[in-house]
Amino acid sequence: MRILVINGPNLNFLGIREKAVYGNQDYNYLCQMIRDKAAADGDEVELYQSNHEGAIIDRIQAAYSDGTDGIVINPGAYTHYSYAIHDALKSIENITKVEIHISDIQSREEFRKVSVTAPACDTQIYGHGLNGYLEAMDYIREASK
């Protein structure tokens, strides 16, 4: 399996910003967790992070033809208003997509409870901390059976 993990704005600041919400582990720790899981499962994984909406859209579109089997995406704040990312995700229907959020977005501010990108994904996982990424990878593997 070839899995693409996309992280949106501010996720590169894990371990720096809002530790009470996102934890003390930094972005490199998350990336190593994901790499270790992929290696254990025999999967190929690409990690991509950008603070720029257009760059995220470009990477999603590239997945259409580069052999990507599944996408794990944490759109960050774009979750709540990026119809452009929604449309990019929707356009690649042949790829399994999982939206992930580290925190429990349903127990936070009202605006965080609404995702405009989740309807373009196969499922959404939230509130499981960094382990949610690993659960998303498992979901993609199961969906491909």
Side-chain angles (χ1 to χ4, degrees):
M1 299 262 346
R2 185 167 181 204
I3 299 173
L4 170 62
V5 179
I6 299 175
N7 281 297
N10 298 311
L11 285 151
N12 57 314
F13 261 46
L14 284 176
I16 297 170
R17 67 183 278 256
E18 297 183 84
K19 292 180 183 182
V21 175
Y22 301 108
N24 294 316
Q25 301 298 335
D26 65 12
Y27 186 68
N28 289 330
Y29 179 88
L30 170 63
C31 291
Q32 193 57 55
M33 268 181 63
I34 293 167
R35 285 187 194 103
D36 290 347
K37 167 103 174 119
D41 290 346
D43 294 332
E44 180 183 339
V45 69
E46 177 188 343
L47 297 153
Y48 181 83
Q49 191 278 325
S50 180
N51 294 318
H52 305 282
E53 184 179 33
I56 293 168
I57 292 165
D58 288 343
R59 187 60 195 93
I60 291 167
Q61 290 179 351
Y64 177 78
S65 58
D66 71 3
T68 296
D69 297 303
I71 295 176
V72 176
I73 184 167
N74 185 337
Y78 290 132
T79 300
H80 316 294
Y81 65 89
S82 181
Y83 290 100
I85 290 176
H86 167 278
D87 290 350
L89 289 165
K90 191 76 171 167
S91 70
I92 54 170
E93 293 178 350
N94 61 322
I95 297 174
T96 303
K97 300 165 294 282
V98 180
E99 182 174 291
I100 175 73
H101 297 284
I102 297 166
S103 69
D104 180 356
I105 56 175
Q106 295 303 317
S107 67
R108 297 186 63 198
E109 303 94 334
E110 283 302 311
F111 78 90
R112 293 190 194 274
K113 296 177 183 180
V114 177
S115 172
V116 302
T117 51
C121 294
D122 297 281
T123 194
Q124 182 189 60
I125 297 170
Y126 59 86
H128 297 180
L130 301 182
N131 285 330
Y133 285 87
L134 309 183
E135 293 173 32
M137 294 168 73
D138 286 338
Y139 180 93
I140 290 169
R141 289 183 118 268
E142 284 300 312
S144 70
K145 290 183 179 178

